[in-house]
Amino acid sequence: MSATYTLDTATSRATPTPAPMKRLTVPQIAGRKGGEPIVMLTAYTARMAQLLDPHCDLLLVGDSLGQVIYGLDTTVRVTLDMMCAHGAAVVRGSYHAVVIVDLPFGSYEESPEVAFRSAARVMAETGAAGVKLEGGVAMAPTVAFLAQRGVPVIGHVGLTPQAVNVLGGYGARGKSDAEFAKIVGDAKAIADAGAFALVVEGVVEPLARAITAAVGCPTIGIGASPACDGQVLVVDDMLGMFERTPRFVRRFDDLAVRIDSAAAAYAAAVRERSFPGVDQLYGAPA
């Protein structure tokens, strides 16, 4: 059964419901190469999707939810069940942005056929417009297989978190001439295979510029370059929800500090018995 039904605003706290609007399409995003920058953020819940949707062209249900939502130490432990559940929530909470869901580690690498089954499940259960997968030249046949069968794909090159155990950490990629050339080759292979966009993560700035110039699809940078055709951040990083801020992140709020202050105020009100007050009671005497 599809999980793409809408929220019942009579019973859901996730209100007000954003005014329905025509959702952007994959071809519209693909056509933004060299044009208006593409705005992309991660989203994992229906309410966050509602808040981000009016401002974003793409919402990515990233496997970063393993760390952000579940407190895991790596994205490698994320499952397809997790991605489907959160993907459906984000689709329910959005009207405007193209929603893309990450294929988690182990759900696509074995073969193009396995990747197709995973992608088909994600799209059927969530209503998302497409999927994202990591990898370079080795994954190009899989990208082509999916694209030829109606699955829109965003590629992901450079620092690929699912391969962190092979890479040996999260350091910037492309510092050596050999690695620089390899990643450019990876990007070209994925773009030529039919990816409609390409996430470029954690690379030295000249490499991101070179990739953007070399491929025909839009590039979306994260720790890359302002020359990319768009940008993406993990929303919790952007909002300042964690103490550690990666170098490539700009905090646009300090939400963790404000949540801490609100929780402290609530706790104080409970302890001094000023909450609940008359306005929060049913049938209170006048």
Side-chain angles (χ1 to χ4, degrees), residues 84-193:
C84 287
H86 289 272
V90 170
V91 170
R92 287 197 295 270
S94 61
Y95 292 86
H96 168 252
V98 173
V99 178
I100 300 296
V101 178
D102 267 344
L103 292 182
F105 179 75
S107 70
Y108 63 93
E109 297 91 341
E110 182 179 350
S111 70
E113 291 78 11
V114 168
F116 179 79
R117 285 194 291 273
S118 296
R121 178 188 169 192
V122 165
M123 294 178 69
E125 293 187 15
T126 69
V131 299
K132 182 173 76 65
L133 57 79
E134 297 181 7
V137 171
M139 293 311 303
T142 295
V143 172
F145 190 90
L146 296 178
Q148 291 163 9
R149 286 159 178 79
V151 178
V153 178
I154 292 182
H156 185 149
V157 299
L159 174 61
T160 47
Q162 291 177 9
V164 65
N165 292 320
V166 173
L167 297 176
Y170 293 97
R173 318 310 299 182
K175 293 181 179 179
S176 70
D177 290 345
E179 189 175 51
F180 189 112
K182 178 187 180 302
I183 295 174
V184 170
D186 286 338
K188 288 181 178 179
I190 295 299
D192 291 346

Side-chain angles (χ1 to χ4, degrees), residues 196-223:
F196 76 90
L198 191 64
V199 168
V200 181
E201 179 173 0
V203 301
V204 294
E205 201 273 343
L207 174 52
R209 286 182 178 271
I211 291 171
T212 300
V215 301
C217 66
T219 57
I220 301 171
I222 176 169

Side-chain angles (χ1 to χ4, degrees), residues 62-80:
D63 60 0
S64 49
L65 64 82
Q67 293 152 311
V68 173
I69 301 296
Y70 291 95
L72 301 176
D73 58 348
T74 173
T75 63
V76 172
R77 297 168 63 187
V78 172
T79 68
L80 203 56

Side-chain angles (χ1 to χ4, degrees), residues 30-90:
R32 297 269 285 272
K33 178 69 177 179
E36 180 184 358
I38 296 166
V39 179
M40 185 178 191
L41 282 168
T42 64
Y44 315 110
T45 65
R47 183 54 178 157
M48 186 60 77
Q50 286 182 315
L51 296 172
L52 301 179
D53 189 55
H55 311 288
C56 293
D57 305 305
L58 287 164
L59 289 176
L60 173 64
V61 187
D63 60 0
S64 49
L65 64 82
Q67 293 152 311
V68 173
I69 301 296
Y70 291 95
L72 301 176
D73 58 348
T74 173
T75 63
V76 172
R77 297 168 63 187
V78 172
T79 68
L80 203 56
D81 286 344
M82 290 179 187
M83 299 309 304
C84 287
H86 289 272
V90 170

